[in-house]
Amino acid sequence: MKDGFLTLGIETSCDETSAAVLKGGDKLLSNVISSQIDVHKLFGGVVPEVAARKHVEVINTVIDEALEKGGVRLNDIDLIAVTAGPGLAISLVVGIAAAKTISYSMNIPAIGVNHLEGHIMANMLSDKEHGFPAVCLLVSGGHTEIISIAGPGEYSRLGGTVDDAAGEAFDKVSRLLGLGYPGGPVIQSASEKGDAAKITFPRPMLREPNFNFSFSGLKTAVLNFTKQNDIGDENAKISVNDVAVAFQEAVVDVLTQKTIRAAIETGAGTVWLAGGVAANRPLRESFKTECEKNGIHFSMPDFLLCTDNAGMIARTGYEIFRKGGKGLELSPQPVCPL
Ligand code: KG4
Ligand code: ZN
């Protein structure tokens, strides 16, 4: 690999259009993210066709901006890394078509990247110690999995959710509490005004001797609680903020305890957090505290690298290419395990 190797990352798997320029393995020169949250908010969730149209509208501008902010021209790029899956097929198509067009016209190699691996590899941009074996909690809108990592590209799944993903639970509970979309950030800010001592929700599967999770029952417990109790505004005996903080605490508790146990039982010296829910402040704090207590090295991606972004895709593509790998096929793969 030449010095100053430049990778252009492109990500359009869901509702964020993103492009990034990575120099070498760890210098992110730019990471432009155009979010569609304001549009999807009106519908209470991501509408795939709307998402795809928005990607088409902004993809060129986002790539231009990433190049400009990175201080490079398209001619300078050595590799294009694009998300090939998992994600919404009609959204993935937009990023892949852009990558293939640039690749073909400029004669630059392009490789497909697994979005989930991207989330995990975001840690390599933030954690310079890279201690392996590691255990990673991958926790996003579509996935909640505990993964054992022997090294980059060497993953084995220890367990995961048997029903809803944690991010999905945040989104559904937020909707039923009337707090809006996306659920994670709004529940987090409502929680800051809530009293955690008022309600205790169950900790599903916490004591089971495996690394699986279940969040659908917790969501039902919240629903039943709201039906059986008078939930009011901030001045009421039980406020919506109290319900939010109790729900968030239950999720954080289960995610933290099971991941730490996975690290201890597998002898991993490092724990990583990855995915959109990794942006949750109480979750980050809880992981930090418990890792410190157990003498485990802990790292998490910088806040902006947790939710969908092209920086993590560029980092993953660079790693695959460096080792002579081909990456995923350049066609949308809506279902695409690690
Ligand atoms: O990784 P991501 O951006 O997209 C997927 O690949 O799914 O994750 C999105 C998920 C959403 O469910 C969103 O509610 C959740 O991440 N999320 C959060 C926070 N920020 C985003 N959940 C809890 N707390 C947050 N601060
Ligand atoms: Zn994601």
Side-chain angles (χ1 to χ4, degrees):
M1 300 286 269
K2 70 173 203 198
D3 251 13
F5 188 92
L6 290 174
T7 306
L8 172 68
I10 299 176
E11 153 68 38
T12 63
S13 68
C14 189
D15 60 343
E16 256 104 29
T17 321
S18 179
V21 177
L22 176 73
K23 185 175 176 183
D26 56 13
K27 189 144 186 33
L28 212 44
L29 300 180
S30 62
N31 194 11
V32 176
I33 304 164
S34 167
S35 172
Q36 305 176 359
I37 282 179
D38 286 345
V39 184
H40 298 293
K41 224 183 220 169
L42 307 172
F43 304 97
V46 177
V47 183
E49 196 179 313
V50 175
R53 283 166 188 251
K54 280 274 151 202
H55 286 312
V56 173
E57 256 174 56
V58 303
I59 185 84
N60 287 6
T61 322
V62 167
I63 292 174
D64 276 347
E65 207 179 316
L67 294 169
E68 200 182 312
K69 284 199 169 145
V72 301
R73 290 163 311 147
L74 208 44
N75 269 333
D76 306 324
I77 297 295
D78 299 297
L79 172 71
I80 304 164
V82 61
T83 305
L88 302 169
I90 55 172
S91 287
L92 290 163
V93 159
V94 181
I96 294 170
K100 279 183 131 167
T101 308
I102 302 171
S103 166
Y104 179 74
S105 57
M106 309 284 294
N107 203 18
I108 303 168
I111 60 173
V113 169
N114 184 313
H115 180 84
L116 303 178
E117 184 170 17
H119 275 303
I120 294 172
M121 289 290 288
N123 281 282
M124 298 273 286
L125 287 166
S126 308
D127 181 13
K128 307 297 176 207
E129 289 180 35
H130 311 338
F132 297 109
V135 156
C136 181
L137 174 72
L138 171 62
V139 69
S140 69
H143 293 83
T144 299
E145 296 182 22
I146 300 183
I147 292 153
S148 168
I149 310 173
E154 296 170 66
Y155 310 111
S156 54
R157 186 180 184 276
L158 298 175
T161 183
V162 296
D163 42 56
D164 291 352
E168 190 181 351
F170 267 99
D171 295 335
K172 286 178 175 168
V173 165
S174 175
R175 202 173 306 145
L176 77 86
L177 293 178
L179 289 172
Y181 170 87
V186 287
I187 291 215
Q188 182 183 308
S189 60
S191 296
E192 283 158 14
K193 293 168 266 165
D195 179 352
K198 282 192 187 163
I199 314 158
T200 304
F201 286 123
R203 268 62 173 158
M205 299 182 89
L206 182 61
R207 303 277 161 233
E208 287 190 18
N210 55 39
F211 301 120
N212 292 333
F213 303 101
S214 165
F215 293 107
S216 151
L218 177 57
K219 176 196 65 195
T220 309
V222 176
L223 178 65
N224 291 340
F225 186 88
T226 58
K227 280 185 180 158
Q228 288 153 9
N229 294 273
D230 236 353
I231 315 292
D233 62 14
E234 278 169 38
N235 305 315
K237 216 166 124 215
I238 300 173
S239 77
V240 75
N241 300 331
D242 301 329
V243 182
V245 72
F247 162 75
Q248 183 177 261
E249 283 214 337
V251 176
V252 167
D253 196 17
V254 179
L255 291 177
T256 311
Q257 290 204 43
K258 285 207 121 164
T259 310
I260 300 291
R261 188 157 58 74
I264 293 170
E265 285 185 21
T266 59
T270 298
V271 162
W272 279 355
L273 254 183
V277 183
N280 184 269
R281 205 173 309 119
L283 182 68
R284 293 164 83 86
E285 280 161 12
S286 164
F287 263 65
K288 190 164 175 281
T289 309
E290 288 308 309
C291 283
E292 268 168 20
K293 248 191 233 166
N294 288 282
I296 298 169
H297 170 68
F298 171 59
S299 132
M300 56 196 157
D302 296 341
F303 190 73
L304 269 179
L305 292 171
C306 288
T307 43
D308 293 348
N309 70 90
M312 66 187 197
I313 302 302
R315 180 65 184 84
T316 309
Y318 169 82
E319 188 71 25
I320 295 168
F321 194 76
R322 192 173 70 86
K323 291 185 183 143
K326 287 192 169 54
L328 298 177
E329 199 191 315
L330 286 172
S331 65
Q333 291 156 62
V335 182
C336 181
L338 259 180

